[in-house]
Amino acid sequence: MSTLTGVNKQITSFAPPARRLMGPGPSDIHPRVMAALSRPTIGHLDPEFVRMMDEVKELTQYAFQTTNRLSMVVSAPGSAGMETAFVNLVEPGEKVIVCRNGVFGGRMLENVLRCGGVPVIVDDAWGQPVDPEKVQAAFSSHPDAKILAFVHAETSTGVRSDAETLCQMAREHGALSIADTVTSLAGIPVLTDEWGIDAAYSGSQKCLSCVPGLSPVTLSPAAVEKVQSRKTKVQSWFLDLNLVMQYWGDGHSKRTYHHTAPVNALYAMHEALLMLQEETLENSWERHARQHQRLKIGLEALGFRFLVDEPYRLPQLNSVFLPEQVKEESHLRKRLLNEFNLEVGAGLGDLTGKIWRIGLMGHTAQPENVDFLLEALSELLH
Ligand SMILES: *Cc1c(COP(=O)(O)O)cnc(C)c1O
């Protein structure tokens, strides 16, 4: 046989550097979660694996604080969780009120358009929360709106919006609510049932501190009813919940093959969700809040200023303007990465070059990390 093309003998096994992940995700992963990831792969229809999937569903219900039967994990990242919500709940021609106060609200709009929905856009400035009064006005001028979609924790700016008020507004107008809880879940309260969120999705690699590539989702009975009574087929075969539900088990019928679940990644998710249950949600929220306070005091002493007004700040995503003396933020960010193995996030959109996004997500939210960052910064700045 002749020599095969494309052989590169220079390539060896990949050995990533050990970083401290203090950006907008992924976050640091606990050794217990890494250990779970490397356990032996078994068949995805193996009764033992199916049993584990049932536990993942239950742990997902806990994380979202819901009794929704449709609570499971999409085999793809947070963006696919977002797409799952939109492709299943938006039928062509339906009006959707979309709140946009950052990057991810813009992506929701893109999803509505691609589903053939008719968007009603409620814009707020980057760094501001969604204004409920504007949403109220949108419902008044569009009483036929079927869905309200908003981002609970806008990772591009570090803003928290009032999910409870927004969901209540949707309910009063006979609309379903879609909440992006990718960054909020486990970092701040996400009370799905109490607030009446109809569809929430999250991501594995933010405050759950699991490996990237999975998206926990939950749908209320009203949302499930809508998916089941659609007039048109869900445009995505892979994300069609009518099919995915049969794979994750609806409690009635036998599970049917839909796709091969990412077996080992789900072991990791099981462990991450279990650790959250062990810690309890209340303690996890409190830990995030405490480390945010510690970071805030240190950063302000160094001359950093917060982008977001205090009542709307996310503890897990700190958007800050750099001290005056720093002329080029990217140099400082690169030095943190190269000299301290520490990653912080850059600004997006109009905030590029102006802010940093410092994440304290999940396992990253520890006092050692906050202190390490503050010491590194004071060394680099002085
Ligand atoms: C990270 C993020 C997403 C996308 O998640 P991926 O896992 O990167 O696909 C969506 N929404 C928000 C608010 C996020 O922070």
Side-chain angles (χ1 to χ4, degrees):
M1 198 162 71
S2 59
T3 316
L4 297 176
T5 54
V7 173
N8 181 346
K9 293 249 172 79
Q10 311 298 315
I11 299 177
T12 58
S13 300
F14 180 59
R19 308 278 203 215
R20 235 176 256 260
L21 300 176
M22 303 185 76
S27 53
D28 285 340
I29 296 177
H30 193 280
R32 264 179 70 180
V33 175
M34 290 311 294
L37 189 67
S38 65
R39 291 192 187 124
T41 303
I42 59 175
H44 71 120
L45 295 172
D46 186 308
E48 276 304 298
F49 188 72
V50 168
R51 188 178 64 74
M52 193 214 65
M53 283 170 93
D54 283 336
E55 290 183 355
V56 168
K57 286 204 296 194
E58 212 176 313
L59 292 164
T60 301
Q61 289 176 325
Y62 172 71
F64 280 115
Q65 285 296 287
T66 182
T67 57
N68 288 341
R69 291 173 52 144
L70 203 175
S71 299
M72 46 78 147
V73 176
V74 173
S75 304
S79 305
M82 181 186 286
E83 198 137 343
T84 297
F86 286 92
V87 295
N88 282 280
L89 290 174
V90 179
E91 284 209 76
E94 285 184 348
K95 253 187 205 173
V96 182
I97 299 178
V98 191
C99 306
R100 182 173 59 177
N101 60 337
V103 167
F104 294 100
R107 288 197 183 171
M108 284 182 146
L109 170 60
E110 189 62 33
N111 270 273
V112 171
L113 293 169
R114 287 174 191 227
C115 294
V118 180
V120 176
I121 305 169
V122 172
D123 267 318
D124 277 291
W126 285 39
Q128 293 294 322
V130 173
D131 182 351
E133 285 184 16
K134 288 188 190 167
V135 174
Q136 182 66 50
F139 270 120
S140 301
S141 17
H142 302 276
D144 53 337
K146 294 279 193 287
I147 291 171
L148 168 67
F150 66 91
V151 178
H152 182 210
E154 202 15 285
T155 322
S156 58
T157 60
V159 161
R160 170 207 313 238
S161 288
D162 183 350
E164 183 173 16
T165 299
L166 294 173
C167 290
Q168 190 184 334
M169 226 170 245
R171 202 163 49 251
E172 281 163 6
H173 291 88
L176 295 176
S177 51
I178 297 177
D180 179 315
T181 63
V182 175
T183 281
S184 49
L185 195 71
I188 54 171
V190 176
L191 306 180
T192 303
D193 286 0
E194 195 179 315
W195 297 348
I197 306 175
D198 289 296
Y201 55 88
S202 191
S204 46
Q205 79 280 25
K206 312 238 169 151
C207 296
L208 296 174
S209 270
C210 185
V211 288
L214 294 173
S215 176
V217 299
T218 188
L219 263 74
S220 71
V224 172
E225 157 96 43
K226 168 131 195 212
V227 179
Q228 288 174 336
S229 58
R230 284 176 62 106
K231 292 181 275 304
T232 53
K233 269 192 177 179
V234 172
Q235 80 214 37
S236 162
W237 174 85
F238 185 66
L239 299 175
D240 184 345
L241 286 173
N242 290 302
L243 307 174
V244 179
M245 274 187 277
Q246 291 169 31
Y247 181 50
W248 272 85
D250 56 10
H252 305 301
S253 38
K254 201 173 161 336
R255 273 172 218 236
T256 46
Y257 166 64
H258 177 254
H259 64 281
T260 308
V263 171
N264 291 59
L266 283 174
Y267 299 164
M269 183 53 106
H270 181 276
E271 195 71 12
L273 289 169
L274 176 62
M275 287 183 68
L276 177 64
Q277 181 178 272
E278 287 170 2
E279 181 181 21
T280 77
L281 280 166
E282 292 95 327
N283 288 334
S284 178
W285 301 331
E286 206 211 297
R287 179 167 51 81
H288 284 86
R290 222 178 18 249
Q291 296 322 313
H292 160 74
Q293 279 306 321
R294 193 182 183 97
L295 178 70
K296 169 184 176 284
I297 292 166
L299 284 178
E300 287 179 342
L302 288 168
F304 288 81
R305 269 186 315 114
F306 276 79
L307 166 75
V308 177
D309 291 341
E310 202 148 1
Y312 312 114
R313 270 179 214 162
L314 292 171
Q316 63 271 51
L317 198 285
N318 298 267
S319 287
V320 285
F321 293 105
L322 283 89
E324 291 285 312
Q325 74 201 78
V326 182
K327 295 296 168 234
E328 181 52 65
E329 65 80 21
S330 66
H331 291 321
L332 196 60
R333 210 156 29 81
K334 282 187 192 119
R335 289 193 68 188
L336 280 176
L337 190 69
N338 298 331
E339 296 167 36
F340 295 88
N341 263 322
L342 190 157
E343 179 185 273
V344 296
L348 296 176
D350 288 346
L351 296 169
T352 306
K354 297 194 181 133
I355 62 161
W356 276 0
R357 291 178 303 143
I358 304 176
L360 291 174
M361 294 180 173
H363 184 52
T364 299
Q366 308 291 348
E368 308 82 84
N369 289 329
V370 173
D371 294 350
F372 185 88
L373 169 63
L374 292 172
E375 277 158 34
L377 282 174
S378 81
E379 194 178 317
L380 291 175
L381 290 170
H382 294 129

